[in-house]
Amino acid sequence: MPDRGNNKGIALFIVIGIIMLVVVLAAVVLRVTATQSRLTHHQIERIRAYYADKAGMNLAFYKLRTGAWSAPTSGTSPRYYCINNKVDAAVTCYETPYPDLSIPYNIQIAVYPIYTGVNKTIKLEVKTSYTYTPS
């Protein structure tokens, strides 16, 4: 019969090793989950900014169609309309419609002079800025 007196502590080391392996795996899963959460939040902010940009474009279409805004009649410089604040520092906003909106993005709409767009239309340029702040 083999002598079992030398193997008394081996079970303790196996259990401690398994517990350490489980803790390391749990830490890895937690880290991956946290990273995915941050990436998802950033993607959601990008999508919201994209649709804020589209809303700014629809607002420009509406304002130009109803005559509330007008395109410059001469020159090549655009007229800027900004929601919340301007995106580019060198821009002077002609009008800031709806200053009390709770949109967390800055939207800058450039309306270029007549006949500068495709097929002699008015060219529009809409920019949106957002800041991602990880929590």
Side-chain angles (χ1 to χ4, degrees), residues 40-54 105 130:
T40 301
H41 182 69
H42 179 63
Q43 182 69 17
I44 288 170
E45 288 300 313
R46 286 183 55 223
I47 291 170
R48 285 181 179 166
Y50 172 79
Y51 283 108
D53 188 74
K54 293 298 179 192
Y105 307 104
Y130 75 98

Coordinates of all heavy atoms in Angstrom, one line a residue, residues 40-54 105 130:
T40 N -20.5 50.7 -26.5 CA -21.9 50.8 -26.9 C -22.4 52.2 -26.6 O -23.2 52.8 -27.4 CB -22.8 49.8 -26.1 OG1 -22.3 48.5 -26.5 CG2 -24.2 49.8 -26.5
H41 N -22.1 52.8 -25.5 CA -22.5 54.1 -25.1 C -22.0 55.1 -26.2 O -22.7 56.0 -26.6 CB -22.0 54.5 -23.7 CG -22.4 55.8 -23.3 ND1 -23.7 56.1 -23.0 CD2 -21.7 57.0 -23.1 CE1 -23.8 57.4 -22.6 NE2 -22.6 57.9 -22.7
H42 N -20.7 54.9 -26.6 CA -20.1 55.8 -27.6 C -20.9 55.7 -28.9 O -21.1 56.7 -29.5 CB -18.6 55.5 -27.7 CG -17.9 56.3 -28.8 ND1 -17.8 57.7 -28.6 CD2 -17.4 56.0 -29.9 CE1 -17.2 58.2 -29.7 NE2 -16.9 57.2 -30.5
Q43 N -21.2 54.5 -29.3 CA -21.9 54.3 -30.5 C -23.3 54.9 -30.5 O -23.8 55.5 -31.4 CB -22.0 52.8 -30.8 CG -22.7 52.5 -32.1 CD -21.9 52.8 -33.3 OE1 -20.7 53.0 -33.3 NE2 -22.6 52.9 -34.5
I44 N -24.0 54.8 -29.3 CA -25.3 55.5 -29.2 C -25.2 57.0 -29.3 O -26.0 57.6 -30.0 CB -25.9 55.1 -27.8 CG1 -26.3 53.6 -27.9 CG2 -27.1 56.0 -27.5 CD1 -26.8 53.0 -26.5
E45 N -24.1 57.6 -28.7 CA -23.9 59.0 -28.8 C -23.7 59.4 -30.3 O -24.2 60.5 -30.8 CB -22.8 59.5 -27.9 CG -23.1 59.5 -26.5 CD -24.3 60.4 -26.1 OE1 -24.4 61.5 -26.6 OE2 -25.2 59.9 -25.4
R46 N -22.9 58.6 -31.0 CA -22.7 58.9 -32.4 C -24.0 58.8 -33.2 O -24.2 59.7 -34.1 CB -21.6 57.9 -33.0 CG -20.2 58.2 -32.5 CD -19.2 57.3 -33.2 NE -19.3 57.3 -34.6 CZ -19.3 56.2 -35.4 NH1 -19.1 55.0 -34.9 NH2 -19.4 56.3 -36.7
I47 N -24.8 57.9 -33.0 CA -26.1 57.7 -33.7 C -27.0 58.9 -33.4 O -27.6 59.5 -34.2 CB -26.7 56.4 -33.4 CG1 -25.9 55.2 -34.0 CG2 -28.2 56.3 -33.8 CD1 -26.3 53.9 -33.5
R48 N -27.0 59.3 -32.1 CA -27.8 60.5 -31.7 C -27.4 61.7 -32.4 O -28.2 62.6 -32.9 CB -27.8 60.7 -30.2 CG -28.7 59.7 -29.5 CD -28.6 59.9 -28.0 NE -29.4 59.0 -27.3 CZ -29.4 58.8 -26.0 NH1 -28.5 59.5 -25.2 NH2 -30.1 57.9 -25.4
A49 N -26.1 61.9 -32.5 CA -25.5 63.1 -33.2 C -25.8 63.0 -34.7 O -26.1 64.1 -35.3 CB -24.0 63.2 -33.0
Y50 N -25.8 61.9 -35.3 CA -26.1 61.7 -36.7 C -27.6 62.1 -36.9 O -27.9 62.9 -37.9 CB -25.9 60.2 -37.1 CG -26.4 59.9 -38.5 CD1 -25.7 60.2 -39.6 CD2 -27.7 59.3 -38.6 CE1 -26.2 59.9 -40.9 CE2 -28.1 59.0 -39.9 CZ -27.4 59.3 -41.0 OH -27.9 59.0 -42.2
Y51 N -28.5 61.7 -36.1 CA -29.9 62.1 -36.3 C -30.2 63.5 -35.9 O -31.1 64.1 -36.5 CB -30.8 61.1 -35.5 CG -30.9 59.8 -36.3 CD1 -30.3 58.6 -35.8 CD2 -31.6 59.7 -37.5 CE1 -30.4 57.5 -36.5 CE2 -31.7 58.6 -38.2 CZ -31.1 57.4 -37.8 OH -31.2 56.3 -38.5
A52 N -29.4 64.1 -35.0 CA -29.5 65.5 -34.7 C -29.1 66.3 -36.0 O -29.7 67.3 -36.3 CB -28.6 65.9 -33.5
D53 N -28.1 65.8 -36.6 CA -27.6 66.4 -37.9 C -28.7 66.3 -39.0 O -29.0 67.3 -39.6 CB -26.4 65.7 -38.4 CG -25.7 66.3 -39.5 OD1 -25.0 67.4 -39.3 OD2 -25.8 65.8 -40.7
K54 N -29.3 65.2 -39.1 CA -30.4 65.1 -40.0 C -31.6 66.0 -39.7 O -32.3 66.5 -40.5 CB -30.9 63.6 -40.1 CG -29.9 62.7 -40.7 CD -29.6 63.0 -42.1 CE -28.5 62.1 -42.6 NZ -28.0 62.5 -43.9
Y105 N -26.3 68.7 -28.5 CA -25.3 68.8 -29.6 C -25.3 70.2 -30.2 O -26.4 70.9 -30.2 CB -25.6 67.8 -30.7 CG -25.8 66.4 -30.2 CD1 -27.0 65.8 -30.1 CD2 -24.7 65.7 -29.7 CE1 -27.2 64.5 -29.6 CE2 -24.9 64.4 -29.2 CZ -26.1 63.8 -29.2 OH -26.3 62.6 -28.6
Y130 N -20.3 66.5 -31.1 CA -20.7 65.9 -29.8 C -19.4 65.6 -29.1 O -18.3 65.4 -29.7 CB -21.6 64.7 -30.0 CG -20.8 63.5 -30.5 CD1 -20.5 62.5 -29.6 CD2 -20.6 63.3 -31.9 CE1 -19.8 61.4 -30.1 CE2 -19.9 62.2 -32.3 CZ -19.5 61.2 -31.4 OH -18.9 60.1 -31.9

